[in-house]
Amino acid sequence: MILALDSYYPGNAYTVCLSFENWTDQEPKEIFTEISALTEEYEPGFFYKRELPCILSILKKIGLENIEAIVIDGFVTLDDAGKLGLGGHLYEALDRTIPIVGVAKNDFINLVHGKRLVYRGTSAKPLYITVAGMELDVAAGLIKLMHGDFRIPTLLKQLDVLTKQPFFRE
């Protein structure tokens, strides 16, 4: 099983997790959601402090048996010296037992060698892939293989929409 996670913060944190069995799946197997109070204010350079507790909370409800990898919206590492981003902190919090694949829409210029650019569909703009617990080129290839004709894979686009959806109704 593969998990993809994201959170949105319009006051409280709304975290969504999609599970799917194959990297090429078009539809999720299950969708998990959780609303939780934010424990940390946003602090530049320490984004993980805000989102990591939300991700760990929803993962406790899902369970981690037979998880092949977890995909996050963001970076695993922030520079070539190995400074941890959200994905790196998640990898450490899970005792380095599950590979974490970071898929970011915007570049982080402090990271030069520890990322791969993945071009999907006809987009001239890449996705920026980082990883822990898996070879970087393997992770980039898996994101490239994900379903969808556009820059953002189908399941990751669905995740982004679902994460923000409840708050558009308010």
Side-chain angles (χ1 to χ4, degrees):
M1 189 71 57
I2 305 154
L3 303 177
L5 295 134
D6 197 8
S7 292
Y8 184 62
Y9 315 101
N12 287 323
Y14 183 64
T15 305
V16 178
C17 177
L18 303 182
S19 71
F20 49 103
E21 294 192 17
N22 301 296
W23 289 94
T24 56
D25 286 356
Q26 181 176 356
E27 296 290 330
K29 181 176 181 180
E30 292 183 82
I31 300 172
F32 305 92
T33 63
E34 180 177 75
I35 296 175
S36 56
L38 289 172
T39 59
E40 297 284 337
E41 290 297 318
Y42 174 71
E43 185 179 344
F46 297 94
F47 166 73
Y48 75 92
K49 288 183 177 182
R50 192 171 202 199
E51 190 159 338
L52 185 61
C54 304
I55 289 173
L56 292 174
S57 177
I58 200 167
L59 288 176
K60 284 181 188 175
K61 294 179 178 181
I62 296 168
L64 299 176
E65 304 79 36
N66 303 313
I67 301 299
E68 175 184 333
I70 296 174
V71 180
I72 61 144
D73 178 11
F75 284 86
V76 175
T77 52
L78 301 177
D79 63 25
D80 289 319
K83 181 179 179 182
L84 300 180
L86 172 63
H89 286 284
L90 176 59
Y91 186 63
E92 294 296 324
L94 299 176
D95 297 322
R96 300 179 176 197
T97 57
I98 299 171
I100 309 296
V101 179
V103 179
K105 296 175 217 58
N106 297 302
D107 198 3
F108 199 79
I109 59 171
N110 293 339
L111 182 64
V112 177
H113 302 290
K115 67 184 171 194
R116 293 292 181 269
L117 281 57
V118 170
Y119 294 87
R120 291 178 36 90
T122 59
S123 179
K125 191 169 181 186
L127 295 171
Y128 302 92
I129 311 303
T130 53
V131 69
M134 177 187 295
E135 291 293 323
L136 183 53
D137 289 330
V138 170
L142 292 169
I143 299 302
K144 179 117 177 134
L145 285 175
M146 288 183 79
H147 181 273
D149 295 329
F150 302 103
R151 177 178 178 235
I152 310 295
T154 302
L155 288 174
L156 300 185
K157 180 66 176 173
Q158 182 180 0
L159 176 63
D160 186 59
V161 169
L162 287 171
T163 304
K164 295 175 180 90
Q165 188 174 14
F167 299 102
F168 289 129
R169 291 189 218 132
E170 294 180 357

